[in-house]
């Protein structure tokens, strides 16, 4: 049987898991709202352009900025929910006893990717702040007002990856197989 959230231990990882789950719920909600707003803005731009013959190109600039927020807000919730891309191509080729180690390697690579992503987006954000860069769009905006979400979202992704790998490592082989069967792997 797969461990339920209520049966998991407390301590630092338990507190980190509670924190990441709460933040991920907020991030997922914000990303969903932004996608809806982007859809409305694109519809408004299309309507204005073709029905009123009054293009609103600046509106599309805002959708581009919002897509940046959607991406970074959705990273960690996608990882937590299992909605991210997983490659299970090798599962049938490996003995069942190796599946946990194989998935642990994948989760370790995800954690490494999260650390590298966090480092790069934080470095880019600091450069943008230091240089006080402006966007190259019709709507001029300081990029620091857009790019700040990168380090925030990447940090949340990194923290979620830590929780994911620690929780996964504590599963038995049977629990790993049950988890894989439950998610279609």
């Amino acid at each position: 049987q797969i461990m339920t959230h209520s049966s998991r231990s407390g301590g630092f990882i338990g507190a980190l898991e509670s924190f990441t789950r709460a933040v991920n719920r907020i991030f997922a909600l914000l990303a969903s709202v932004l996608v809806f707003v982007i859809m409305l803005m694109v519809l408004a731009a299309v309507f204005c352009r073709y029905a009123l013959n009054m293009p609103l190109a600046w509106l599309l600039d805002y959708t581009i900025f919002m897509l940046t927020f959607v991406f970074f807000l959705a990273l960690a919730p996608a990882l937590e929910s299992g909605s991210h891309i997983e490659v299970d191509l090798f599962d049938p080729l490996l003995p069942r006893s190796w599946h946990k180690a194989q998935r642990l390697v994948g989760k370790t690579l995800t954690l490494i990717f999260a650390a590298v992503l966090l480092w790069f987006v934080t470095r880019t954000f600091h450069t943008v702040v230091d240089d006080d860069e402006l966007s190259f769009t019709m709507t001029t905006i300081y990029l620091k007002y857009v790019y700040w979400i990168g380090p925030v979202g990447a940090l949340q992704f990194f923290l979620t990856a830590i929780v994911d790998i620690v929780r996964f490592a504590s599963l038995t082989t049977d629990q790993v197989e049950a988890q894989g069967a439950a998610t279609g792997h």
Side-chain angles (χ1 to χ4, degrees):
Q1 179 176 340
I2 300 173
M3 272 197 231
T4 62
H5 301 303
S6 60
S7 66
R8 293 182 174 161
S9 63
F12 175 74
I13 291 299
L16 184 60
E17 181 175 25
S18 294
F19 172 79
T20 57
R21 284 188 185 283
V23 172
N24 285 342
R25 278 193 303 273
I26 294 166
F27 277 19
L29 176 66
L30 290 173
S32 298
V33 168
L34 284 175
V35 167
F36 183 72
V37 170
I38 290 169
M39 180 198 67
L40 292 177
M41 291 174 76
V42 168
L43 286 173
V46 169
F47 177 78
C48 288
R49 178 179 203 92
Y50 294 106
L52 305 176
N53 198 21
M54 186 179 71
L56 300 175
W58 59 268
L59 202 57
L60 296 177
D61 289 344
Y62 286 104
T63 64
I64 292 168
F65 299 143
M66 284 191 268
L67 277 173
T68 303
F69 279 79
V70 168
F71 175 80
F72 284 106
L73 288 170
L75 271 176
L79 180 62
E80 179 186 7
S81 70
S83 299
H84 59 288
I85 297 172
E86 254 183 46
V87 178
D88 56 1
L89 175 70
F90 299 107
D91 283 359
L93 303 174
L94 297 174
R96 183 175 176 254
S97 60
W98 290 17
H99 287 182
K100 181 177 180 181
Q102 172 201 356
R103 291 189 185 138
L104 199 54
V105 167
K107 290 180 183 300
T108 302
L109 291 172
T110 300
L111 182 63
I112 292 168
F113 170 76
V116 170
L117 179 67
L118 177 59
W119 184 77
F120 272 103
V121 297
T122 301
R123 187 180 73 168
T124 301
F125 174 68
H126 284 294
T127 301
V128 164
V129 169
D130 290 343
D131 295 344
D132 215 17
E133 288 185 43
L134 291 169
S135 65
F136 293 104
T137 55
M138 293 183 83
T139 305
T140 304
I141 185 171
Y142 286 102
L143 289 177
K144 62 186 170 191
Y145 299 126
V146 176
Y147 282 21
W148 68 266
I149 194 63
V152 172
L155 176 61
Q156 182 65 12
F157 180 63
F158 178 73
L159 295 175
T160 302
I162 290 171
V163 169
D164 188 42
I165 197 169
V166 169
R167 291 300 185 199
F168 184 82
S170 69
L171 297 177
T172 66
T173 302
D174 290 338
Q175 289 170 326
V176 169
E177 291 303 316
Q179 187 182 51
T183 59
H185 295 106

